[in-house]
Amino acid sequence: MAKENQTYLDLLKEIRTILGNEKELFVQALGDKAEEVVAEAEYIIEQITGKVIIKIPVTDEGIKTTKILKEKDRYINDNGLYIFSSLYCG
């Protein structure tokens, strides 16, 4: 994004324009607490047209976030976290 010299939201809007509203757009929502992630997810959904699927990391706070967004009937995708050290076999 820094290379593009655009804000995150502007870049997402540009991607949406390229994809069109018919395609799904997956967007990672960030925050330290579930409430922060929910707020960011809701903001993104309000700002971006078409079907937006919010990606949520599978952490304790991510699971809380998933429950809240599911109750709000939002499209979500929970994704796993991988730590390089756990993949290293040596």
Side-chain angles (χ1 to χ4, degrees), residues 3-69:
K3 184 178 176 183
E4 296 296 323
N5 200 25
Q6 292 181 316
T7 67
Y8 184 60
L9 190 58
D10 288 338
L11 189 56
L12 289 174
K13 288 179 179 180
E14 183 178 335
I15 292 168
R16 171 51 78 203
T17 300
I18 294 166
L19 290 177
N21 284 331
E22 304 80 34
K23 303 281 185 183
E24 298 171 337
L25 179 60
F26 289 78
V27 180
Q28 182 85 36
L30 302 174
D32 292 326
K33 298 288 183 186
E35 297 77 17
E36 295 170 1
V37 180
V38 169
E40 181 166 313
E42 292 291 351
Y43 179 74
I44 292 167
I45 291 167
E46 288 173 9
Q47 298 297 314
I48 307 295
T49 60
K51 187 173 183 180
V52 176
I53 300 171
I54 302 297
K55 294 170 49 177
I56 306 294
V58 181
T59 63
D60 289 339
E61 290 299 311
I63 292 168
K64 292 177 191 175
T65 302
T66 296
K67 289 178 182 178
I68 294 167
L69 290 176

